[in-house]
Amino acid sequence: FNDPLEAQWQCNLNNLKNFIDTNKRYPNPKSVDKNEKSLATWVNAQRRAIKNHKINSERYQKLKKINFIEEPTLDSNSLEKSK
């Protein structure tokens, strides 16, 4: 990757995939593990970007490929916040 921001995004995506494969869950933002907490922050930023239509189609497709987009809590979190 020539773009350092894109390289970092791809690294975070790979870290997320590895985390899910290992732990069978998404990272917890309240974790005492700083790496898990950091990854959870990144996950939440991706959810916000998707919700606000601020994510490019290439990134969206990469997230969809690892089943991130279909995560059921994405919709329920959005509904919870709107109540």
Side-chain angles (χ1 to χ4, degrees), residues 10-35:
Q10 187 63 48
C11 181
N12 284 330
L13 179 66
N14 292 338
N15 289 341
L16 175 61
K17 185 176 183 322
N18 291 336
F19 184 92
I20 293 169
D21 288 347
T22 301
N23 299 287
K24 308 295 185 232
R25 63 178 176 83
Y26 282 83
N28 185 339
K30 295 180 180 173
S31 174
V32 294
D33 181 281
K34 68 176 186 166
N35 292 328

Side-chain angles (χ1 to χ4, degrees), residues 1-62:
F1 297 99
N2 292 336
D3 179 356
L5 291 177
E6 188 60 33
Q8 182 61 50
W9 191 91
Q10 187 63 48
C11 181
N12 284 330
L13 179 66
N14 292 338
N15 289 341
L16 175 61
K17 185 176 183 322
N18 291 336
F19 184 92
I20 293 169
D21 288 347
T22 301
N23 299 287
K24 308 295 185 232
R25 63 178 176 83
Y26 282 83
N28 185 339
K30 295 180 180 173
S31 174
V32 294
D33 181 281
K34 68 176 186 166
N35 292 328
E36 181 178 354
K37 192 172 188 173
S38 176
L39 193 55
T41 299
W42 182 82
V43 165
N44 287 335
Q46 302 318 300
R47 288 180 178 152
R48 276 193 309 278
I50 292 165
K51 181 181 173 188
N52 296 324
H53 306 285
K54 303 268 187 201
I55 192 164
N56 70 40
S57 60
E58 185 179 332
R59 287 182 176 183
Y60 183 87
Q61 290 305 318
K62 287 178 179 180

